[in-house]
Amino acid sequence: MESAPGGSAPPGGFGAVRLRSTTRRGTARLGWRARAQWASGIHEARILATIVDDPALVTRRQMNQWARDFDSWDVCDQACQNLFRYTPLAWTMAVEWAGARGEFVRRAAFALMAGLAVKAKDAPDEDFEALLPLIAGAATDERNLVKKAVNWALRAIGKRNPHLRRAAIAAAENIRAVDSPAARWIASDALRELQARQKLATKPGFVSHLGASSCVRRLRLCYTVAHEEDVGP
């Protein structure tokens, strides 16, 4: 059973937020325990496994096995954001899964790209620019879980810095020209946010008038109202 957006759990469940809090208070990252929790097949146990596992010990075989086991969008996203993006294989698997046939595996590719855009602080812009053709290549996938992850990845890359914002906007404009409802939605939604950020960044006196902290608060407020959650089906 899938959790609802925002981390609420199925009836009788604990919820991702409570699981994460409990884990951080006392559970060591133990690969053997994580694998046992994953093997149970229990929804909350699998989310917990993504939190307690050690990224340094995760293998390609494990990543592929877990990806094949995904059966809900939230377990997929939790695995990518809690664990996979911190592994040495994160970039390799994001590229490899981008062409996958399975809906959840392909979603994982772009959820992973979105996660790397936030956490891979030292990665050069070129690494993210190399992902844009993969995003464009998946933009015609009409499956809801895939197209939303493709959109997520495109927006996340565009929010890293001004250079990547321009690159993501250019990619979105090309995607919008594709004759596909999914591509048009992905591009239009990404352009709405990225172009708004571009206008704010270039507006004369905007930062000096409001102050940097006010700008950040306004951007967060606008984004929250428009999107509520940056993850979800």
Side-chain angles (χ1 to χ4, degrees), residues 86-186:
Y86 299 108
T87 68
L89 291 165
W91 292 88
T92 299
M93 302 313 292
V95 171
E96 185 174 309
W97 290 340
R101 293 182 180 180
E103 184 174 12
F104 289 110
V105 179
R106 202 174 200 191
R107 178 183 175 91
F110 298 101
L112 193 48
M113 292 179 195
L116 288 167
V118 174
K119 289 296 185 180
K121 302 294 186 183
D122 297 328
D125 289 349
E126 291 78 8
D127 288 354
F128 291 99
E129 289 176 298
L131 299 178
L132 294 175
L134 297 176
I135 289 172
T140 56
D141 194 321
E142 300 288 342
R143 292 174 295 183
N144 193 54
L145 295 179
V146 176
K147 75 177 183 181
K148 290 203 169 184
V150 171
N151 168 267
W152 181 14
L154 181 57
R155 290 185 292 108
I157 290 172
K159 289 187 283 188
R160 266 184 75 88
N161 59 50
H163 173 75
L164 285 174
R165 183 170 60 238
R166 291 189 293 271
I169 287 173
E173 289 173 340
N174 289 333
I175 291 170
R176 186 168 58 179
V178 176
D179 185 17
S180 160
R184 287 192 294 271
W185 178 84
I186 288 166

Side-chain angles (χ1 to χ4, degrees), residues 32-50 66 69 71 75:
W32 65 267
R33 179 173 295 177
R35 287 188 288 275
Q37 289 164 336
W38 188 269
S40 74
I42 299 170
H43 185 274
E44 290 86 348
R46 284 189 163 178
I47 292 177
L48 183 58
T50 72
W66 285 24
D69 288 343
D71 59 3
V75 172

